[in-house]
Amino acid sequence: MNLVKLAGEPLKYQGSYDFGASNLAQRISEAGTVISMEQDYWHTPPADALFLHRKIGGLYLLAARLKAKVDVNQLFLPFKLTEVLK
């Protein structure tokens, strides 16, 4: 769960998230390495999970390469469960 929370950092950030200045990819990589080293943890994830991870990772790296500053929280606001339930 900590890894998922870490990956959701741009969604939780209030204001424009600076992908170019963020070291989020490095922190996720380091956290993933720690998890994968745990005994009896490693298994092949389902294909749909792999595709989703690859898509999200690719979008993050593209935004970082472009040094994009995006208010991701605002973009996803219409899709938040709390908004749907109101």
Side-chain angles (χ1 to χ4, degrees):
M1 282 306 295
N2 290 336
L3 194 55
V4 172
K5 287 180 184 178
L6 188 60
E9 180 178 289
L11 289 168
K12 296 184 299 182
Y13 190 82
Q14 297 296 315
S16 293
Y17 188 84
D18 189 348
F19 285 89
S22 173
N23 66 347
L24 181 58
Q26 179 182 353
R27 289 183 283 140
I28 289 174
S29 177
E30 290 169 358
T33 300
V34 169
I35 292 172
S36 69
M37 294 298 179
E38 292 178 4
Q39 187 175 11
D40 298 328
Y41 178 79
W42 181 249
H43 64 281
T44 302
D48 53 347
L50 288 174
F51 289 128
L52 182 61
H53 294 168
R54 190 169 185 179
K55 178 61 73 177
I56 293 170
L59 289 171
Y60 173 84
L61 293 173
L62 177 62
R65 179 83 173 222
L66 294 173
K67 295 180 176 36
K69 295 177 183 174
V70 181
D71 192 340
V72 182
N73 184 284
Q74 186 67 34
L75 287 174
F76 277 79
L77 195 59
F79 306 103
K80 287 187 177 183
L81 184 58
T82 56
E83 295 298 315
V84 172
L85 295 176
K86 286 185 178 179

mmCIF file with all atom_site columns, all heavy atoms in Angstrom, residues 16-39:
data_model
loop_
_atom_site.group_PDB
_atom_site.id
_atom_site.type_symbol
_atom_site.label_atom_id
_atom_site.label_alt_id
_atom_site.label_comp_id
_atom_site.label_asym_id
_atom_site.label_entity_id
_atom_site.label_seq_id
_atom_site.pdbx_PDB_ins_code
_atom_site.Cartn_x
_atom_site.Cartn_y
_atom_site.Cartn_z
_atom_site.occupancy
_atom_site.B_iso_or_equiv
_atom_site.pdbx_formal_charge
_atom_site.auth_seq_id
_atom_site.auth_comp_id
_atom_site.auth_asym_id
_atom_site.auth_atom_id
_atom_site.pdbx_PDB_model_num
ATOM 1   N N   . SER A 1 16 ? 0.145  22.914  -8.905  1.00 0.00 ? 16 SER A N   1
ATOM 2   C CA  . SER A 1 16 ? 0.843  22.299  -10.032 1.00 0.00 ? 16 SER A CA  1
ATOM 3   C C   . SER A 1 16 ? 2.005  21.440  -9.544  1.00 0.00 ? 16 SER A C   1
ATOM 4   O O   . SER A 1 16 ? 2.913  21.936  -8.874  1.00 0.00 ? 16 SER A O   1
ATOM 5   C CB  . SER A 1 16 ? 1.370  23.369  -10.984 1.00 0.00 ? 16 SER A CB  1
ATOM 6   O OG  . SER A 1 16 ? 0.297  24.036  -11.595 1.00 0.00 ? 16 SER A OG  1
ATOM 7   N N   . TYR A 1 17 ? 1.958  20.159  -9.874  1.00 0.00 ? 17 TYR A N   1
ATOM 8   C CA  . TYR A 1 17 ? 3.024  19.224  -9.512  1.00 0.00 ? 17 TYR A CA  1
ATOM 9   C C   . TYR A 1 17 ? 4.149  19.399  -10.517 1.00 0.00 ? 17 TYR A C   1
ATOM 10  O O   . TYR A 1 17 ? 3.945  19.314  -11.722 1.00 0.00 ? 17 TYR A O   1
ATOM 11  C CB  . TYR A 1 17 ? 2.499  17.785  -9.527  1.00 0.00 ? 17 TYR A CB  1
ATOM 12  C CG  . TYR A 1 17 ? 3.478  16.781  -8.980  1.00 0.00 ? 17 TYR A CG  1
ATOM 13  C CD1 . TYR A 1 17 ? 3.573  16.558  -7.614  1.00 0.00 ? 17 TYR A CD1 1
ATOM 14  C CD2 . TYR A 1 17 ? 4.320  16.068  -9.816  1.00 0.00 ? 17 TYR A CD2 1
ATOM 15  C CE1 . TYR A 1 17 ? 4.464  15.647  -7.095  1.00 0.00 ? 17 TYR A CE1 1
ATOM 16  C CE2 . TYR A 1 17 ? 5.210  15.155  -9.308  1.00 0.00 ? 17 TYR A CE2 1
ATOM 17  C CZ  . TYR A 1 17 ? 5.287  14.946  -7.960  1.00 0.00 ? 17 TYR A CZ  1
ATOM 18  O OH  . TYR A 1 17 ? 6.180  14.046  -7.444  1.00 0.00 ? 17 TYR A OH  1
ATOM 19  N N   . ASP A 1 18 ? 5.364  19.640  -10.032 1.00 0.00 ? 18 ASP A N   1
ATOM 20  C CA  . ASP A 1 18 ? 6.523  19.865  -10.902 1.00 0.00 ? 18 ASP A CA  1
ATOM 21  C C   . ASP A 1 18 ? 7.201  18.525  -11.177 1.00 0.00 ? 18 ASP A C   1
ATOM 22  O O   . ASP A 1 18 ? 8.029  18.057  -10.406 1.00 0.00 ? 18 ASP A O   1
ATOM 23  C CB  . ASP A 1 18 ? 7.491  20.839  -10.226 1.00 0.00 ? 18 ASP A CB  1
ATOM 24  C CG  . ASP A 1 18 ? 8.607  21.282  -11.140 1.00 0.00 ? 18 ASP A CG  1
ATOM 25  O OD1 . ASP A 1 18 ? 8.781  20.687  -12.230 1.00 0.00 ? 18 ASP A OD1 1
ATOM 26  O OD2 . ASP A 1 18 ? 9.312  22.241  -10.768 1.00 0.00 ? 18 ASP A OD2 1
ATOM 27  N N   . PHE A 1 19 ? 6.822  17.903  -12.278 1.00 0.00 ? 19 PHE A N   1
ATOM 28  C CA  . PHE A 1 19 ? 7.370  16.592  -12.628 1.00 0.00 ? 19 PHE A CA  1
ATOM 29  C C   . PHE A 1 19 ? 8.866  16.666  -12.899 1.00 0.00 ? 19 PHE A C   1
ATOM 30  O O   . PHE A 1 19 ? 9.598  15.718  -12.611 1.00 0.00 ? 19 PHE A O   1
ATOM 31  C CB  . PHE A 1 19 ? 6.647  16.019  -13.845 1.00 0.00 ? 19 PHE A CB  1
ATOM 32  C CG  . PHE A 1 19 ? 5.273  15.509  -13.536 1.00 0.00 ? 19 PHE A CG  1
ATOM 33  C CD1 . PHE A 1 19 ? 4.168  16.351  -13.608 1.00 0.00 ? 19 PHE A CD1 1
ATOM 34  C CD2 . PHE A 1 19 ? 5.075  14.197  -13.165 1.00 0.00 ? 19 PHE A CD2 1
ATOM 35  C CE1 . PHE A 1 19 ? 2.900  15.890  -13.329 1.00 0.00 ? 19 PHE A CE1 1
ATOM 36  C CE2 . PHE A 1 19 ? 3.808  13.710  -12.878 1.00 0.00 ? 19 PHE A CE2 1
ATOM 37  C CZ  . PHE A 1 19 ? 2.717  14.567  -12.959 1.00 0.00 ? 19 PHE A CZ  1
ATOM 38  N N   . GLY A 1 20 ? 9.341  17.781  -13.451 1.00 0.00 ? 20 GLY A N   1
ATOM 39  C CA  . GLY A 1 20 ? 10.756 17.923  -13.769 1.00 0.00 ? 20 GLY A CA  1
ATOM 40  C C   . GLY A 1 20 ? 11.643 17.994  -12.541 1.00 0.00 ? 20 GLY A C   1
ATOM 41  O O   . GLY A 1 20 ? 12.789 17.558  -12.569 1.00 0.00 ? 20 GLY A O   1
ATOM 42  N N   . ALA A 1 21 ? 11.132 18.524  -11.449 1.00 0.00 ? 21 ALA A N   1
ATOM 43  C CA  . ALA A 1 21 ? 11.924 18.677  -10.224 1.00 0.00 ? 21 ALA A CA  1
ATOM 44  C C   . ALA A 1 21 ? 11.715 17.515  -9.249  1.00 0.00 ? 21 ALA A C   1
ATOM 45  O O   . ALA A 1 21 ? 12.412 17.421  -8.242  1.00 0.00 ? 21 ALA A O   1
ATOM 46  C CB  . ALA A 1 21 ? 11.560 19.985  -9.534  1.00 0.00 ? 21 ALA A CB  1
ATOM 47  N N   . SER A 1 22 ? 10.781 16.635  -9.549  1.00 0.00 ? 22 SER A N   1
ATOM 48  C CA  . SER A 1 22 ? 10.443 15.540  -8.635  1.00 0.00 ? 22 SER A CA  1
ATOM 49  C C   . SER A 1 22 ? 11.398 14.360  -8.804  1.00 0.00 ? 22 SER A C   1
ATOM 50  O O   . SER A 1 22 ? 11.845 14.062  -9.908  1.00 0.00 ? 22 SER A O   1
ATOM 51  C CB  . SER A 1 22 ? 9.017  15.073  -8.910  1.00 0.00 ? 22 SER A CB  1
ATOM 52  O OG  . SER A 1 22 ? 8.727  13.931  -8.149  1.00 0.00 ? 22 SER A OG  1
ATOM 53  N N   . ASN A 1 23 ? 11.671 13.693  -7.698  1.00 0.00 ? 23 ASN A N   1
ATOM 54  C CA  . ASN A 1 23 ? 12.463 12.465  -7.753  1.00 0.00 ? 23 ASN A CA  1
ATOM 55  C C   . ASN A 1 23 ? 11.571 11.246  -7.462  1.00 0.00 ? 23 ASN A C   1
ATOM 56  O O   . ASN A 1 23 ? 12.024 10.229  -6.965  1.00 0.00 ? 23 ASN A O   1
ATOM 57  C CB  . ASN A 1 23 ? 13.626 12.529  -6.765  1.00 0.00 ? 23 ASN A CB  1
ATOM 58  C CG  . ASN A 1 23 ? 13.167 12.549  -5.315  1.00 0.00 ? 23 ASN A CG  1
ATOM 59  O OD1 . ASN A 1 23 ? 11.986 12.745  -5.015  1.00 0.00 ? 23 ASN A OD1 1
ATOM 60  N ND2 . ASN A 1 23 ? 14.093 12.344  -4.399  1.00 0.00 ? 23 ASN A ND2 1
ATOM 61  N N   . LEU A 1 24 ? 10.301 11.375  -7.785  1.00 0.00 ? 24 LEU A N   1
ATOM 62  C CA  . LEU A 1 24 ? 9.320  10.328  -7.500  1.00 0.00 ? 24 LEU A CA  1
ATOM 63  C C   . LEU A 1 24 ? 9.698  9.005   -8.161  1.00 0.00 ? 24 LEU A C   1
ATOM 64  O O   . LEU A 1 24 ? 9.588  7.951   -7.534  1.00 0.00 ? 24 LEU A O   1
ATOM 65  C CB  . LEU A 1 24 ? 7.923  10.765  -7.944  1.00 0.00 ? 24 LEU A CB  1
ATOM 66  C CG  . LEU A 1 24 ? 6.787  9.791   -7.684  1.00 0.00 ? 24 LEU A CG  1
ATOM 67  C CD1 . LEU A 1 24 ? 6.678  9.464   -6.194  1.00 0.00 ? 24 LEU A CD1 1
ATOM 68  C CD2 . LEU A 1 24 ? 5.475  10.348  -8.206  1.00 0.00 ? 24 LEU A CD2 1
ATOM 69  N N   . ALA A 1 25 ? 10.142 9.022   -9.411  1.00 0.00 ? 25 ALA A N   1
ATOM 70  C CA  . ALA A 1 25 ? 10.506 7.782   -10.104 1.00 0.00 ? 25 ALA A CA  1
ATOM 71  C C   . ALA A 1 25 ? 11.614 7.052   -9.350  1.00 0.00 ? 25 ALA A C   1
ATOM 72  O O   . ALA A 1 25 ? 11.569 5.822   -9.191  1.00 0.00 ? 25 ALA A O   1
ATOM 73  C CB  . ALA A 1 25 ? 10.939 8.074   -11.538 1.00 0.00 ? 25 ALA A CB  1
ATOM 74  N N   . GLN A 1 26 ? 12.586 7.776   -8.860  1.00 0.00 ? 26 GLN A N   1
ATOM 75  C CA  . GLN A 1 26 ? 13.685 7.168   -8.110  1.00 0.00 ? 26 GLN A CA  1
ATOM 76  C C   . GLN A 1 26 ? 13.177 6.577   -6.796  1.00 0.00 ? 26 GLN A C   1
ATOM 77  O O   . GLN A 1 26 ? 13.547 5.466   -6.424  1.00 0.00 ? 26 GLN A O   1
ATOM 78  C CB  . GLN A 1 26 ? 14.770 8.206   -7.832  1.00 0.00 ? 26 GLN A CB  1
ATOM 79  C CG  . GLN A 1 26 ? 15.939 7.656   -7.039  1.00 0.00 ? 26 GLN A CG  1
ATOM 80  C CD  . GLN A 1 26 ? 16.977 8.727   -6.739  1.00 0.00 ? 26 GLN A CD  1
ATOM 81  O OE1 . GLN A 1 26 ? 16.891 9.845   -7.213  1.00 0.00 ? 26 GLN A OE1 1
ATOM 82  N NE2 . GLN A 1 26 ? 17.961 8.370   -5.938  1.00 0.00 ? 26 GLN A NE2 1
ATOM 83  N N   . ARG A 1 27 ? 12.315 7.301   -6.102  1.00 0.00 ? 27 ARG A N   1
ATOM 84  C CA  . ARG A 1 27 ? 11.783 6.810   -4.823  1.00 0.00 ? 27 ARG A CA  1
ATOM 85  C C   . ARG A 1 27 ? 10.926 5.563   -5.019  1.00 0.00 ? 27 ARG A C   1
ATOM 86  O O   . ARG A 1 27 ? 10.997 4.619   -4.233  1.00 0.00 ? 27 ARG A O   1
ATOM 87  C CB  . ARG A 1 27 ? 10.981 7.907   -4.120  1.00 0.00 ? 27 ARG A CB  1
ATOM 88  C CG  . ARG A 1 27 ? 11.885 9.020   -3.595  1.00 0.00 ? 27 ARG A CG  1
ATOM 89  C CD  . ARG A 1 27 ? 11.111 10.073  -2.837  1.00 0.00 ? 27 ARG A CD  1
ATOM 90  N NE  . ARG A 1 27 ? 10.413 10.937  -3.788  1.00 0.00 ? 27 ARG A NE  1
ATOM 91  C CZ  . ARG A 1 27 ? 9.192  11.398  -3.627  1.00 0.00 ? 27 ARG A CZ  1
ATOM 92  N NH1 . ARG A 1 27 ? 8.489  11.090  -2.560  1.00 0.00 ? 27 ARG A NH1 1
ATOM 93  N NH2 . ARG A 1 27 ? 8.644  12.180  -4.527  1.00 0.00 ? 27 ARG A NH2 1
ATOM 94  N N   . ILE A 1 28 ? 10.134 5.529   -6.093  1.00 0.00 ? 28 ILE A N   1
ATOM 95  C CA  . ILE A 1 28 ? 9.315  4.347   -6.377  1.00 0.00 ? 28 ILE A CA  1
ATOM 96  C C   . ILE A 1 28 ? 10.211 3.163   -6.723  1.00 0.00 ? 28 ILE A C   1
ATOM 97  O O   . ILE A 1 28 ? 9.984  2.042   -6.266  1.00 0.00 ? 28 ILE A O   1
ATOM 98  C CB  . ILE A 1 28 ? 8.307  4.628   -7.504  1.00 0.00 ? 28 ILE A CB  1
ATOM 99  C CG1 . ILE A 1 28 ? 7.220  5.567   -6.997  1.00 0.00 ? 28 ILE A CG1 1
ATOM 100 C CG2 . ILE A 1 28 ? 7.702  3.335   -8.036  1.00 0.00 ? 28 ILE A CG2 1
ATOM 101 C CD1 . ILE A 1 28 ? 6.245  6.024   -8.066  1.00 0.00 ? 28 ILE A CD1 1
ATOM 102 N N   . SER A 1 29 ? 11.238 3.420   -7.517  1.00 0.00 ? 29 SER A N   1
ATOM 103 C CA  . SER A 1 29 ? 12.174 2.354   -7.884  1.00 0.00 ? 29 SER A CA  1
ATOM 104 C C   . SER A 1 29 ? 12.862 1.771   -6.656  1.00 0.00 ? 29 SER A C   1
ATOM 105 O O   . SER A 1 29 ? 12.967 0.543   -6.509  1.00 0.00 ? 29 SER A O   1
ATOM 106 C CB  . SER A 1 29 ? 13.220 2.897   -8.859  1.00 0.00 ? 29 SER A CB  1
ATOM 107 O OG  . SER A 1 29 ? 14.169 1.909   -9.162  1.00 0.00 ? 29 SER A OG  1
ATOM 108 N N   . GLU A 1 30 ? 13.308 2.640   -5.765  1.00 0.00 ? 30 GLU A N   1
ATOM 109 C CA  . GLU A 1 30 ? 13.967 2.173   -4.547  1.00 0.00 ? 30 GLU A CA  1
ATOM 110 C C   . GLU A 1 30 ? 13.015 1.387   -3.655  1.00 0.00 ? 30 GLU A C   1
ATOM 111 O O   . GLU A 1 30 ? 13.368 0.331   -3.123  1.00 0.00 ? 30 GLU A O   1
ATOM 112 C CB  . GLU A 1 30 ? 14.561 3.358   -3.785  1.00 0.00 ? 30 GLU A CB  1
ATOM 113 C CG  . GLU A 1 30 ? 15.744 3.985   -4.484  1.00 0.00 ? 30 GLU A CG  1
ATOM 114 C CD  . GLU A 1 30 ? 16.180 5.322   -3.896  1.00 0.00 ? 30 GLU A CD  1
ATOM 115 O OE1 . GLU A 1 30 ? 15.527 5.803   -2.929  1.00 0.00 ? 30 GLU A OE1 1
ATOM 116 O OE2 . GLU A 1 30 ? 17.153 5.892   -4.412  1.00 0.00 ? 30 GLU A OE2 1
ATOM 117 N N   . ALA A 1 31 ? 11.787 1.869   -3.505  1.00 0.00 ? 31 ALA A N   1
ATOM 118 C CA  . ALA A 1 31 ? 10.791 1.175   -2.679  1.00 0.00 ? 31 ALA A CA  1
ATOM 119 C C   . ALA A 1 31 ? 10.431 -0.172  -3.302  1.00 0.00 ? 31 ALA A C   1
ATOM 120 O O   . ALA A 1 31 ? 10.283 -1.173  -2.584  1.00 0.00 ? 31 ALA A O   1
ATOM 121 C CB  . ALA A 1 31 ? 9.548  2.037   -2.514  1.00 0.00 ? 31 ALA A CB  1
ATOM 122 N N   . GLY A 1 32 ? 10.309 -0.218  -4.617  1.00 0.00 ? 32 GLY A N   1
ATOM 123 C CA  . GLY A 1 32 ? 10.012 -1.475  -5.306  1.00 0.00 ? 32 GLY A CA  1
ATOM 124 C C   . GLY A 1 32 ? 11.124 -2.493  -5.161  1.00 0.00 ? 32 GLY A C   1
ATOM 125 O O   . GLY A 1 32 ? 10.872 -3.694  -5.011  1.00 0.00 ? 32 GLY A O   1
ATOM 126 N N   . THR A 1 33 ? 12.363 -2.019  -5.192  1.00 0.00 ? 33 THR A N   1
ATOM 127 C CA  . THR A 1 33 ? 13.507 -2.913  -5.012  1.00 0.00 ? 33 THR A CA  1
ATOM 128 C C   . THR A 1 33 ? 13.494 -3.530  -3.620  1.00 0.00 ? 33 THR A C   1
ATOM 129 O O   . THR A 1 33 ? 13.733 -4.726  -3.466  1.00 0.00 ? 33 THR A O   1
ATOM 130 C CB  . THR A 1 33 ? 14.828 -2.153  -5.251  1.00 0.00 ? 33 THR A CB  1
ATOM 131 O OG1 . THR A 1 33 ? 14.831 -1.646  -6.584  1.00 0.00 ? 33 THR A OG1 1
ATOM 132 C CG2 . THR A 1 33 ? 16.028 -3.059  -5.054  1.00 0.00 ? 33 THR A CG2 1
ATOM 133 N N   . VAL A 1 34 ? 13.195 -2.728  -2.622  1.00 0.00 ? 34 VAL A N   1
ATOM 134 C CA  . VAL A 1 34 ? 13.124 -3.232  -1.246  1.00 0.00 ? 34 VAL A CA  1
ATOM 135 C C   . VAL A 1 34 ? 12.057 -4.317  -1.137  1.00 0.00 ? 34 VAL A C   1
ATOM 136 O O   . VAL A 1 34 ? 12.285 -5.385  -0.566  1.00 0.00 ? 34 VAL A O   1
ATOM 137 C CB  . VAL A 1 34 ? 12.844 -2.086  -0.246  1.00 0.00 ? 34 VAL A CB  1
ATOM 138 C CG1 . VAL A 1 34 ? 12.509 -2.626  1.131   1.00 0.00 ? 34 VAL A CG1 1
ATOM 139 C CG2 . VAL A 1 34 ? 14.031 -1.138  -0.181  1.00 0.00 ? 34 VAL A CG2 1
ATOM 140 N N   . ILE A 1 35 ? 10.884 -4.059  -1.722  1.00 0.00 ? 35 ILE A N   1
ATOM 141 C CA  . ILE A 1 35 ? 9.790  -5.040  -1.675  1.00 0.00 ? 35 ILE A CA  1
ATOM 142 C C   . ILE A 1 35 ? 10.174 -6.321  -2.402  1.00 0.00 ? 35 ILE A C   1
ATOM 143 O O   . ILE A 1 35 ? 9.919  -7.419  -1.914  1.00 0.00 ? 35 ILE A O   1
ATOM 144 C CB  . ILE A 1 35 ? 8.493  -4.449  -2.278  1.00 0.00 ? 35 ILE A CB  1
ATOM 145 C CG1 . ILE A 1 35 ? 7.952  -3.348  -1.378  1.00 0.00 ? 35 ILE A CG1 1
ATOM 146 C CG2 . ILE A 1 35 ? 7.452  -5.535  -2.494  1.00 0.00 ? 35 ILE A CG2 1
ATOM 147 C CD1 . ILE A 1 35 ? 6.802  -2.578  -1.979  1.00 0.00 ? 35 ILE A CD1 1
ATOM 148 N N   . SER A 1 36 ? 10.800 -6.188  -3.567  1.00 0.00 ? 36 SER A N   1
ATOM 149 C CA  . SER A 1 36 ? 11.132 -7.371  -4.362  1.00 0.00 ? 36 SER A CA  1
ATOM 150 C C   . SER A 1 36 ? 12.207 -8.234  -3.705  1.00 0.00 ? 36 SER A C   1
ATOM 151 O O   . SER A 1 36 ? 12.331 -9.409  -4.025  1.00 0.00 ? 36 SER A O   1
ATOM 152 C CB  . SER A 1 36 ? 11.573 -6.970  -5.768  1.00 0.00 ? 36 SER A CB  1
ATOM 153 O OG  . SER A 1 36 ? 12.821 -6.315  -5.744  1.00 0.00 ? 36 SER A OG  1
ATOM 154 N N   . MET A 1 37 ? 12.963 -7.671  -2.792  1.00 0.00 ? 37 MET A N   1
ATOM 155 C CA  . MET A 1 37 ? 13.994 -8.429  -2.097  1.00 0.00 ? 37 MET A CA  1
ATOM 156 C C   . MET A 1 37 ? 13.443 -9.241  -0.919  1.00 0.00 ? 37 MET A C   1
ATOM 157 O O   . MET A 1 37 ? 14.119 -10.108 -0.399  1.00 0.00 ? 37 MET A O   1
ATOM 158 C CB  . MET A 1 37 ? 15.101 -7.494  -1.589  1.00 0.00 ? 37 MET A CB  1
ATOM 159 C CG  . MET A 1 37 ? 15.881 -6.836  -2.685  1.00 0.00 ? 37 MET A CG  1
ATOM 160 S SD  . MET A 1 37 ? 16.714 -8.086  -3.676  1.00 0.00 ? 37 MET A SD  1
ATOM 161 C CE  . MET A 1 37 ? 17.516 -7.072  -4.864  1.00 0.00 ? 37 MET A CE  1
ATOM 162 N N   . GLU A 1 38 ? 12.207 -8.935  -0.526  1.00 0.00 ? 38 GLU A N   1
ATOM 163 C CA  . GLU A 1 38 ? 11.612 -9.678  0.580   1.00 0.00 ? 38 GLU A CA  1
ATOM 164 C C   . GLU A 1 38 ? 11.396 -11.129 0.168   1.00 0.00 ? 38 GLU A C   1
ATOM 165 O O   . GLU A 1 38 ? 10.971 -11.419 -0.940  1.00 0.00 ? 38 GLU A O   1
ATOM 166 C CB  . GLU A 1 38 ? 10.287 -9.050  1.005   1.00 0.00 ? 38 GLU A CB  1
ATOM 167 C CG  . GLU A 1 38 ? 10.457 -7.692  1.636   1.00 0.00 ? 38 GLU A CG  1
ATOM 168 C CD  . GLU A 1 38 ? 9.135  -7.046  2.012   1.00 0.00 ? 38 GLU A CD  1
ATOM 169 O OE1 . GLU A 1 38 ? 8.076  -7.688  1.859   1.00 0.00 ? 38 GLU A OE1 1
ATOM 170 O OE2 . GLU A 1 38 ? 9.168  -5.889  2.453   1.00 0.00 ? 38 GLU A OE2 1
ATOM 171 N N   . GLN A 1 39 ? 11.691 -12.037 1.076   1.00 0.00 ? 39 GLN A N   1
ATOM 172 C CA  . GLN A 1 39 ? 11.589 -13.466 0.801   1.00 0.00 ? 39 GLN A CA  1
ATOM 173 C C   . GLN A 1 39 ? 10.139 -13.847 0.488   1.00 0.00 ? 39 GLN A C   1
ATOM 174 O O   . GLN A 1 39 ? 9.204  -13.369 1.120   1.00 0.00 ? 39 GLN A O   1
ATOM 175 C CB  . GLN A 1 39 ? 12.063 -14.252 2.017   1.00 0.00 ? 39 GLN A CB  1
ATOM 176 C CG  . GLN A 1 39 ? 12.157 -15.735 1.766   1.00 0.00 ? 39 GLN A CG  1
ATOM 177 C CD  . GLN A 1 39 ? 12.747 -16.471 2.966   1.00 0.00 ? 39 GLN A CD  1
ATOM 178 O OE1 . GLN A 1 39 ? 12.894 -15.910 4.037   1.00 0.00 ? 39 GLN A OE1 1
ATOM 179 N NE2 . GLN A 1 39 ? 13.077 -17.715 2.768   1.00 0.00 ? 39 GLN A NE2 1
#
